Amino acid sequence: MNQPLPTPASPLKIGTRGSPLALAQAHETRARLGAAFDLPAEAFEIVVIKTTGDDRALIDADRPLKEIGNKGLFTKEIEEALLDGSIDIAVHSMKDMPVEQPEGLLLDCYLPREDVRDAFVTVDGKAFSELPGGGVVGTSSLRRKAQLLFRRPDLKVVEFRGNVQTRMRKLSEGVAEATFLACAGLNRLGMDIPRVAIAAEEMLPAVAQGAIGIERRADDPRTKRMLEAIHDVSTGQRLAAERAFLAALDGSCETPIAGLALLEGDEIWLRGEILRPDGSECLVDSARAPVAQGAALGRELAERLLERAGPGFFEFRG
């Protein structure tokens, strides 16, 4: 028997981080669920949960993520709330998500994917190619840092953390001349800031960039039924390949990895890239397979790249 749908008196609780982008993603989730089941906004409650990665002092100090922890920095406290029943679902940026979920939790609902590209951002709208030698670029992403140094070893990279608003403030204060942001986040926030989108052919994005994932308890049939109504199948197919690729490579915050899957008819095309953290070497590969074999394709592509890389590839060169 189906359980009753949420009501204003007994709302479905949506857990999220408190950044403007995280809240925008939670509101999108609420809107899609409301539309799918003809429910008012009051039938949902958005619950803000502060995670370790949101510590203001660590952000302002531009502490590197690898010094604080790994990808679980942005999910641990939210998943604990999901497990103890404080919330019913958790909304995540998929590029922040570990490839494995805690026992009892499932991640099998994805919203339609946004623009996957990175944006090169300066206060005056310069393109990447216009940045002079010796220019300072801020990023907290090891992937972006390695990709940047591989293409432009003449540039200096500094640690640069915070949400979009914080990073734009740091640019205006001269902490760096430029930074990278995900086009998806800027689009979801409706932010009109100077930026130049970088084609995936020039700079492969992070695995799952632009995708929103919704996590639930495995033993919650009502939530399962509701999330099935808003799940985007094509995004799920693409992420199955990308996240299998990431899992086979390690995928911690200390390994520069990029990957992007595209659907082409009944096939899936996966491109992958691994880099040395100092940007001194970059290995790329791609492969195709039937859509249903996306996860196997991801593992196969990862194995090919690891074989080419050899042991110690992800270690910094002295």
Side-chain angles (χ1 to χ4, degrees):
M1 181 182 294
N2 289 332
Q3 293 178 303
L5 290 171
T7 65
S10 181
L12 183 131
K13 295 184 177 181
I14 302 173
T16 177
R17 297 169 62 200
S19 72
L21 177 57
L23 289 171
Q25 295 178 163
H27 281 91
E28 180 179 343
T29 301
R30 180 179 69 181
R32 289 181 181 275
L33 284 169
F37 293 93
D38 195 24
L39 295 172
E42 294 76 21
F44 305 90
E45 179 184 347
I46 293 177
V47 180
V48 174
I49 298 169
K50 184 177 179 180
T51 70
T52 304
D54 296 316
D55 188 300
R56 188 76 248 169
L58 299 179
I59 292 171
D60 289 341
D62 284 322
R63 282 281 303 280
L65 295 180
K66 66 178 181 177
E67 290 183 8
I68 310 165
N70 54 26
K71 288 196 176 196
L73 278 173
F74 300 111
T75 60
K76 180 175 178 287
E77 289 83 359
I78 297 175
E79 289 179 326
E80 288 172 349
L82 191 53
L83 284 167
D84 70 21
S86 301
I87 57 174
D88 298 300
I89 61 174
V91 180
H92 302 285
S93 292
M94 282 306 300
K95 71 173 184 175
D96 292 333
M97 284 300 287
V99 290
E100 294 183 0
Q101 277 59 63
E103 185 175 353
L105 299 184
L106 291 176
L107 185 56
D108 55 6
C109 175
Y110 305 108
L111 302 188
R113 197 170 190 176
E114 246 285 1
D115 192 333
V116 302
R117 296 174 297 174
D118 284 304
F120 186 70
V121 179
T122 62
V123 291
D124 54 3
K126 277 193 182 77
F128 178 54
S129 59
E130 296 176 305
L131 201 63
V136 179
V137 179
T139 180
S140 60
S141 162
L142 280 183
R143 170 190 63 88
R144 287 170 173 156
K145 177 180 180 180
Q147 288 176 320
L148 178 70
L149 291 176
F150 178 73
R151 291 157 178 78
R152 291 284 306 272
D154 58 303
L155 298 176
K156 180 183 178 184
V157 182
V158 297
E159 193 67 30
F160 207 69
R161 289 198 57 214
N163 60 33
V164 176
Q165 292 81 357
T166 299
R167 295 187 200 201
M168 292 307 297
R169 174 179 56 78
K170 289 179 178 180
L171 282 184
S172 67
E173 293 171 352
V175 176
E177 297 170 57
T179 189
F180 294 100
L181 294 168
C183 286
L186 297 175
N187 292 347
R188 288 192 172 110
L189 288 169
M191 294 190 72
D192 184 21
I193 63 174
R195 54 170 152 157
V196 179
I198 303 174
E201 290 72 22
E202 291 182 53
M203 188 167 169
L204 207 59
V207 164
Q209 184 155 301
I212 297 171
I214 306 172
E215 197 173 19
R216 63 178 175 87
R217 287 185 296 277
D219 62 357
D220 185 348
R222 182 187 72 168
T223 298
K224 178 178 185 292
R225 177 170 65 93
M226 293 185 69
L227 293 182
E228 283 173 346
I230 64 169
H231 173 60
D232 186 71
V233 173
S234 63
T235 298
Q237 291 168 333
R238 294 170 66 188
L239 262 59
E242 291 179 26
R243 282 171 61 79
F245 172 74
L246 183 68
L249 285 169
D250 171 25
S252 70
C253 279
E254 299 183 44
T255 48
I257 297 167
L260 179 64
L262 296 175
L263 300 181
E264 298 182 331
D266 60 357
E267 282 195 328
I268 190 163
W269 174 39
L270 177 63
R271 283 173 285 170
E273 177 178 292
I274 60 175
L275 304 99
R276 288 190 179 272
D278 60 4
S280 61
E281 190 175 356
C282 174
L283 299 178
V284 298
D285 204 344
S286 67
R288 286 176 168 80
V291 171
Q293 297 174 20
L297 177 68
R299 292 188 290 270
E300 176 193 331
L301 191 64
E303 288 166 6
R304 279 169 29 184
L305 283 170
L306 286 173
E307 186 175 348
R308 288 171 56 192
F313 180 83
F314 290 121
E315 296 172 5
F316 283 87
R317 282 179 166 166

